Amino acid sequence: MDKNIKEPVKKPWIWVVMGLLVLFNAPWYLPKGSAEPFIFGFPYWAVITIILSLALCGYISWLMFSQWDIVEDVEEESEEERRSGP
C-alpha cells in the first residue's frame, strides 16, 4: 500500500478550524436587534455571514484538494485481493 495516503480525519486542527467557521457563521455573538451599519444595502451581520460562508466553502475546497488523497483504485485493489483470498 502507498505511504503517501493522507488521513486528515486524524488531524485535529482541521476540525478546530471547521468548527470555528461554523460556530461564528451564525451571528449569535452580535448584539440582539442590531442591523446598522448597512453595507451595500445589507445589515453588517448578513455581510459577516456571507463572508464566513464563503470562507467555509473555500476552506473545505482547499482541504479536498490539498489534504485528502483520494485512493479509490488502491482501496478497490485491496478489497479485491481480500475477497479473492490466498
Side-chain angles (χ1 to χ4, degrees), residues 8-85:
V9 174
K10 297 176 182 176
K11 296 178 182 177
W13 66 269
I14 288 176
W15 299 109
V16 169
V17 172
M18 189 173 299
L20 289 173
L21 283 171
V22 170
L23 183 67
F24 287 108
N25 205 354
W28 56 268
Y29 50 87
L30 298 174
K32 189 174 185 178
S34 65
E36 294 182 2
F38 289 97
I39 303 170
F40 298 114
F42 293 102
Y44 74 102
W45 59 265
V47 175
I48 292 171
T49 302
I50 291 169
I51 290 170
L52 286 174
S53 294
L54 292 173
L56 180 62
C57 291
Y59 179 67
I60 291 172
S61 297
W62 175 79
L63 285 175
M64 291 310 213
F65 286 114
S66 68
Q67 297 298 312
W68 263 271
D69 188 16
I70 306 298
V71 290
E72 288 182 24
D73 295 334
V74 174
E75 290 174 350
E76 287 175 5
E77 285 177 11
S78 305
E79 185 67 25
E80 291 214 7
E81 288 174 5
R82 189 180 60 83
R83 285 184 187 167
S84 63

